[in-house]
Amino acid sequence: MSRFIRADLDAVKEYVPGEQPKDMRYVKLNTNESPFPPSPKVTEAVTKAAKTLNLYSDPELTALTAMTAKTYGVDAECLLMTNGSDEILNFAFCAFGSKNAPFVFPSLTYGFYPVFAELYGIPYVKIPLKSDFSIDVNDYRNVGANIAIANPNAPTGKILSVKDIETILSSNREHVVVIDEAYIDFGGESCIKLINKYDNLLVTRTFSKSFSLAGARLGFGAGDRELIKDLKKIKYSTNPYNVNSLTDAAGRAALEDYEYYMNNCSVIAKNRDFCAEELKKRGFFVTDSKANFLFASHLKLSGREYYLKLKERGVLVRYFGSTGAENFVRITVGTEEQMNTLLYETDKILAGE
Ligand SMILES: *Cc1c(COP(=O)(O)O)cnc(C)c1O
């Protein structure tokens, strides 16, 4: 740290992304990427778009926004495309949080929420989960603060119904409710249509997981057009060309192949449910996940031990070590073959081999 850094930045604990080790080839089940490659149309579109990299990208992302609007049945003015969904979350905390407008979120959730809050000096309160790791909707009635909820939640994978989300929205009309739907394509019901009914709702989505585009960095926010105008203000005050032209092309091509990706999601959901059952047979506790990962613990194995032993054996999962999750690992759901490798190595570990 230099002596020039802003004094209040000193205290900010930055987000730590999952490992991307290069020392060997792992069965990589630690950062919730898709095991499936982007569709051939995406590769083709990116190659073509590379020819015009001398030009700036479209700051309005008109074509991509129109396609996204059509895909999700919302108005284009209700959308803002961003550099990953991390960027729309960043914009939301920046635009709506303040000393007088704190944030609340679950005690166990996406690790970026407290980071954004600290970055902007926004007070925040973490609301504990129930003992089964679910969110108690009653804890979020009339909270007098902005709310951020990942739905399905990460790393628990547990989901709230659209009705529950409506309860939260209608009892917090004077605050923004951010519903982070990074994992909604793996089996949950989206609340995106509610943006037409509640002007305090911001739904965030990403192409990183269900659309096999983690490396391209593409996400978006959907909300009332006035909310979106506020977020655009942050975009145009920081990074007007926030989505590069290769990613713009990749996103449009991906939406053209929507069926390919949704089919991949159902394969992943099937592998998830199969793997959860197999882990349970081996004595694991596994939460009921509707995402592309499993949150699992074993009585005879600490989360840290399981993570380290799997890593030795070439299988990488995510260990958080945060309060409430010490005994758990988060396992990304990949192909059937990858899940079988995980189960095979797990058997060896449990047998003490
Ligand atoms: C992965 C993830 C994101 C961010 O994804 P991007 O790659 O930035 O689009 C947002 N929220 C949750 C809960 C996530 O797990």
Side-chain angles (χ1 to χ4, degrees):
M1 197 118 31
S2 82
R3 64 187 189 282
F4 306 109
I5 191 169
R6 229 173 62 202
D8 57 321
L9 258 191
D10 213 8
V12 174
K13 284 194 280 312
E14 58 265 56
Y15 179 73
V16 186
E19 323 164 68
Q20 304 287 359
K22 301 281 178 277
D23 59 330
M24 63 176 270
R25 272 182 72 110
Y26 287 94
V27 175
K28 203 169 167 301
L29 306 176
N30 70 327
T31 48
N32 298 344
E33 289 141 321
S34 173
F36 302 112
S39 79
K41 272 195 195 146
V42 168
T43 332
E44 202 181 300
V46 169
T47 310
K48 203 163 151 221
K51 296 193 178 109
T52 53
L53 274 175
N54 55 313
L55 304 175
Y56 277 107
S57 57
D58 173 12
E60 285 291 308
L61 298 153
T62 312
L64 176 61
T65 307
M67 279 192 74
T68 308
K70 190 160 169 257
T71 304
Y72 294 98
V74 296
D75 284 343
E77 303 91 88
C78 297
L79 293 178
L80 177 60
M81 310 304 297
T82 51
N83 190 313
S85 62
D86 286 341
E87 189 178 52
I88 190 80
L89 293 167
N90 180 3
F91 290 175
F93 275 83
C94 180
F96 305 122
S98 71
K99 286 265 176 313
N100 302 320
F103 262 87
V104 299
F105 37 80
S107 53
L108 192 56
T109 189
Y110 188 37
F112 229 136
Y113 305 153
V115 176
F116 287 133
E118 285 176 24
L119 182 63
Y120 296 116
I122 306 163
Y124 62 92
V125 174
K126 293 178 171 185
I127 301 183
L129 296 176
K130 290 201 278 193
S131 60
D132 67 352
F133 294 101
S134 63
I135 288 170
D136 189 339
V137 178
N138 294 320
D139 293 340
Y140 292 82
R141 286 180 201 259
N142 300 305
V143 283
N146 296 314
I147 297 170
I149 289 178
N151 198 47
N153 195 14
T156 65
K158 296 196 68 135
I159 194 157
L160 286 177
S161 67
V162 171
K163 187 167 159 274
D164 284 342
I165 290 179
E166 249 195 294
T167 302
I168 297 172
L169 285 164
S170 58
S171 67
N172 293 281
R173 295 304 297 238
E174 296 314 308
H175 291 91
V176 175
V177 178
V178 180
I179 301 294
D180 177 348
E181 292 193 336
Y183 299 104
I184 201 73
D185 288 329
F186 300 99
E189 190 190 345
S190 173
C191 69
I192 199 162
K193 290 277 161 54
L194 293 181
I195 63 168
N196 300 318
K197 190 167 170 194
Y198 295 95
D199 65 359
N200 58 330
L201 170 63
L202 178 71
V203 177
T204 66
R205 300 283 287 250
T206 177
F207 284 67
S208 293
K209 282 101 187 196
S210 50
F211 287 92
S212 301
L213 282 178
R217 315 303 305 129
L218 184 61
F220 66 90
D224 183 81
R225 59 202 71 211
E226 298 305 317
L227 271 194
I228 294 297
K229 275 188 203 157
D230 300 341
L231 296 163
K232 281 191 180 165
K233 188 168 192 138
I234 311 294
K235 161 175 155 136
Y236 282 103
S237 306
T238 52
N239 193 8
Y241 304 104
N242 62 334
V243 176
N244 72 70
S245 44
L246 301 184
T247 296
D248 177 3
R252 279 182 279 138
L255 288 174
E256 274 175 27
D257 255 341
Y258 186 81
E259 293 308 319
Y260 164 77
Y261 295 102
M262 293 310 113
N263 186 50
N264 287 347
C265 289
S266 50
V267 171
I268 290 168
K270 198 172 112 251
N271 297 346
R272 172 193 66 212
D273 297 342
F274 153 77
C275 188
E277 284 316 306
E278 288 299 319
L279 286 170
K280 284 180 197 166
K281 282 183 202 162
R282 290 157 172 83
F284 281 85
F285 168 78
V286 187
T287 57
D288 178 23
S289 171
K290 290 284 174 268
N292 67 339
F293 54 80
L294 292 168
F295 190 55
S297 70
H298 197 285
L299 273 179
K300 297 205 187 95
L301 207 57
S302 76
R304 191 181 162 73
E305 221 183 329
Y306 185 39
Y307 153 75
L308 286 173
K309 287 192 167 160
L310 280 173
K311 192 174 176 185
E312 266 170 34
R313 291 165 175 275
V315 179
L316 208 56
V317 299
R318 187 90 188 258
Y319 172 67
F320 295 97
S322 46
T323 20
E326 300 89 349
N327 287 323
F328 284 78
V329 297
R330 190 195 67 191
I331 304 164
T332 301
V333 177
T335 60
E336 194 179 343
E337 189 191 352
Q338 287 177 316
M339 295 297 98
N340 280 325
T341 305
L342 170 92
L343 294 166
Y344 175 84
E345 299 300 348
T346 299
D347 285 338
K348 298 265 174 192
I349 294 167
L350 289 175
E353 285 173 32

